[in-house]
Amino acid sequence: MEQQRPMMDSGEKRLNELGYKQELRREMTLFKTLAISFSTMTLFTGITPLYGSSLLYAGPAALVWGWVVVSFFTWFVGIAMAEICSSFPTTGSLYFWAAHLAGPQWGPFASWCCAWLETIGLIAGIGTQAYAGSQTLQSIILLCTGTNKGGGYFAPRWLFLCMYMGLTLIWAVLNTFALEVIAFIDIISMWWQLAGGIVIVIALPLVAVTTQSASYVFTHFETSPESTGISSSAYAVVLSVLVSQYSLYGYDAAAHLTEETKGADKNGPIAILSSIGIISLFGWAYILALTFSIQDPSYLYDVNNETAGAFVPAQILYDAFHGRYNNSTGAIILLFVIWGSFFFGGLSITTSAARVVYALSRDNGVPFSSIWRKIHPKHKVPSNAVWLCAAICILLGLPILKVNVVFTAITSICTIGWVGGYAVPIFARLVMDDKDFRAGPFYLGRARRPICLVAFLWICYTCSVFLLPTLYPIKWDTFNYAPVAVGVCLTLIMLWWLLDARKWFKGPVRNIDVPNGKV
């Protein structure tokens, strides 16, 4: 009796229609994809490193309500992307979407811009996780060795750079194994963050000897011109909301894994929207827990305090546990939970970055593409692309030895590139004729135009504010270098396009014939 062929997965069928072979293993379930997407956004990694500066700019009210406002607009972006993901479930995701949605005339240019924005953003994203993870580890070591007041060891720049490089290399090594390993680790990550988040959100205010009043948390507004140099209240509020804008993205990770996800045309959009929902709720709860647990707002930034004024969340944890138990053990444990979140987040972003580099190389959009598009013969992962991302990330971190604003610059580059990459396919979807769009299971219908318009305008605003100076007066050690870095990168990319790439880069390159030529 002839053996029946297994039914083709809906995601694989759509991938074939788009002109691509199924080369990666399609073994990811919705839960595993959600775990990786959730880990890429991460509960602690956006809020923790920028919490102190955001609180300083405009006080708790702007910080707390800023999260709510940013969450609201993030839903527009997520919903717009979920519809496109449902129609185009490919690893190339954003730049593939841009190419097809922009049409044959503008498709190659849109694809080129989107691909490089996303690549820059994701690789810089690895750097943000490595930097903030090293910063958390620096505080853990300081508290374990006796605190800043008790002669504890504060890691110098060279050791900080070593920690940064070490994390990057560990993530690269783990990403050279089969994706099942990453998926398993990311499931641990999801439960780690959920359980750790619940513990911190509940335990921290309970442990704190005193808590701030609700009026302080929800209504207190206070600028700090003596520290920031910013006297304008409106400007201070704009900068205080950066923590939320930096934290609430990364949900496109689910789209990068659609060639490895079962039923990706349905499960990809579900993973995107579920990630936004979970992070929106837990992130706000985390901000509230930290803010309610502040003992002395002015002491948080004192360079002579127990954490050397270097990491405000660490000082909040220390004050709470030391005040209650007269030791820092509890603070160290919770800082380790937060550090774990950075570790898992960096691992997931490395996964996403490598997939984008692989997909772009597959379409000959990266120098020496033949090297970076190679798949590991055993593990079926783009291992060369993984190590390229890690090497560039390490280069981005080298200025740590001399420059004080490295994290500000890397964070801005990451956000502008990553979120800016979202804008290209969303704008293309906004202006295209709906009859040219082949809808997937998740379809917005008439609602797509207003949703895409709000999403696009929000992205433009987000990218703009990350170019602003964050401290005044502007000096060499306070200057936001992101405009220069992003400007140089975009200039080189545009020159490459005008002088050479436009002659040969045609966007996504099909590697199978498509019946009737339909996409």
Side-chain angles (χ1 to χ4, degrees):
M1 186 174 177
E2 187 178 346
Q3 188 176 5
Q4 274 192 326
R5 292 181 62 189
M7 186 177 293
M8 181 179 287
D9 180 272
S10 60
E12 181 179 348
K13 181 180 178 183
R14 179 60 178 147
L15 182 69
N16 292 165
E17 291 171 354
L18 291 168
Y20 284 99
K21 298 175 184 177
Q22 180 67 50
E23 296 181 301
L24 303 173
R25 289 178 178 172
R26 192 176 289 273
E27 298 177 350
M28 301 283 286
T29 62
L30 170 60
F31 184 76
K32 289 179 180 179
T33 302
L34 175 59
I36 291 181
S37 181
F38 179 82
S39 297
T40 302
M41 293 184 74
T42 61
L43 177 58
F44 303 114
T45 58
I47 298 169
T48 307
L50 292 177
Y51 176 88
S53 59
S54 294
L55 182 66
L56 186 64
Y57 284 126
L63 175 59
V64 168
W65 294 115
W67 182 271
V68 176
V69 172
V70 174
S71 297
F72 174 76
F73 285 106
T74 298
W75 277 104
F76 285 88
V77 182
I79 291 169
M81 290 177 62
E83 183 199 41
I84 303 171
C85 178
S86 184
S87 178
F88 300 105
T90 72
T91 287
S93 60
L94 299 181
Y95 91 96
F96 186 98
W97 303 348
H100 283 272
L101 295 172
Q105 182 177 356
W106 291 100
F109 180 66
S111 179
W112 178 263
C113 295
C114 187
W116 278 105
L117 280 170
E118 191 178 12
T119 301
I120 292 167
L122 281 166
I123 294 175
I126 303 171
T128 64
Q129 302 301 299
Y131 190 102
S134 301
Q135 193 177 35
T136 307
L137 190 57
Q138 185 182 50
S139 295
I140 292 172
I141 294 170
L142 181 60
L143 293 182
C144 285
T145 54
T147 77
N148 184 50
K149 283 187 172 181
Y153 183 73
F154 189 77
R157 288 176 184 265
W158 68 267
L159 184 55
F160 192 100
L161 178 60
C162 288
M163 292 189 287
Y164 174 98
M165 295 171 65
L167 283 171
T168 305
L169 292 173
I170 291 169
W171 295 331
V173 170
L174 290 174
N175 266 284
T176 56
F177 293 107
L179 191 66
E180 293 93 323
V181 176
I182 303 299
F184 176 74
I185 293 174
D186 280 318
I187 289 173
I188 296 174
S189 165
M190 186 173 181
W191 290 114
W192 176 284
Q193 293 185 77
L194 285 174
I198 290 170
V199 168
I200 292 176
V201 166
I202 295 174
L204 184 56
L206 292 176
V207 168
V209 176
T210 61
T211 56
Q212 296 292 333
S213 65
S215 62
Y216 172 80
V217 173
F218 293 108
T219 65
H220 185 69
F221 178 87
E222 180 184 8
T223 60
S224 302
E226 67 285 350
S227 299
T228 64
I230 297 169
S231 55
S232 167
S233 297
Y235 195 6
V237 169
V238 167
L239 294 180
S240 73
V241 178
L242 292 181
V243 62
S244 305
Q245 292 167 290
Y246 168 60
S247 304
L248 285 164
Y249 65 87
Y251 34 87
D252 60 304
H256 301 312
L257 298 168
T258 46
E259 286 186 35
E260 297 157 271
T261 302
K262 299 174 183 176
D265 52 344
K266 301 182 185 72
N267 290 335
I270 292 173
I272 288 172
L273 298 178
S274 299
S275 297
I276 295 173
I278 295 170
I279 292 293
S280 295
L281 292 174
F282 270 84
W284 200 50
Y286 178 46
I287 288 174
L288 290 176
L290 285 173
T291 310
F292 270 111
S293 303
I294 294 172
Q295 301 302 294
D296 180 0
S298 62
Y299 186 62
L300 296 175
Y301 304 94
D302 189 340
V303 294
N304 296 313
N305 68 17
E306 287 79 6
T307 56
F311 203 39
V312 166
Q315 188 64 41
I316 293 174
L317 292 171
Y318 175 85
D319 287 342
F321 281 92
H322 190 268
R324 176 73 65 179
Y325 302 111
N326 203 33
N327 65 64
S328 56
T329 303
I332 293 168
I333 292 171
L334 293 189
L335 278 172
F336 181 72
V337 172
I338 293 171
W339 177 85
S341 183
F342 288 115
F343 180 86
F344 292 130
L347 184 66
S348 295
I349 294 174
T350 303
T351 304
S352 292
R355 265 58 184 180
V356 172
V357 171
Y358 158 73
L360 186 55
S361 299
R362 185 171 62 180
D363 297 327
N364 299 315
V366 180
F368 309 107
S369 289
S370 60
I371 298 174
W372 317 124
R373 65 170 172 252
K374 285 185 178 178
I375 298 293
H376 192 285
K378 179 181 178 182
H379 301 305
K380 301 297 181 183
V381 296
S383 52
N384 288 358
V386 168
W387 285 100
L388 175 63
C389 293
I392 297 173
C393 178
I394 289 172
L395 291 176
L396 282 175
L398 292 180
I400 289 170
L401 291 172
K402 295 292 182 182
V403 181
N404 294 323
V405 291
V406 172
F407 185 69
T408 300
I410 294 178
T411 299
S412 298
I413 294 166
C414 170
T415 307
I416 293 166
W418 202 335
V419 179
Y422 296 178
V424 183
I426 289 176
F427 180 76
R429 178 73 182 107
L430 171 67
V431 300
M432 75 179 296
D433 193 326
D434 204 46
K435 66 181 177 61
D436 296 328
F437 181 73
R438 175 174 169 176
F442 185 89
Y443 178 53
L444 295 177
R446 292 182 179 179
R448 61 100 180 180
R449 204 175 288 274
I451 288 174
C452 288
L453 177 60
V454 174
F456 177 73
L457 293 176
W458 177 251
I459 292 170
C460 291
Y461 168 74
T462 298
C463 292
S464 299
V465 294
F466 272 94
L467 295 172
L468 297 173
T470 55
L471 292 171
Y472 285 87
I474 298 175
K475 301 177 182 177
W476 286 112
D477 58 345
T478 61
F479 178 62
N480 181 5
Y481 292 92
V484 175
V486 173
V488 169
C489 289
L490 293 182
T491 299
L492 291 174
I493 291 166
M494 290 300 102
L495 283 174
W496 187 9
W497 171 261
L498 290 171
L499 298 176
D500 181 47
R502 64 187 175 87
K503 301 172 185 175
W504 51 263
F505 183 79
K506 303 303 178 185
V509 178
R510 294 170 179 163
N511 56 21
I512 60 174
D513 293 327
V514 184
N516 303 321
K518 294 181 180 179
V519 295

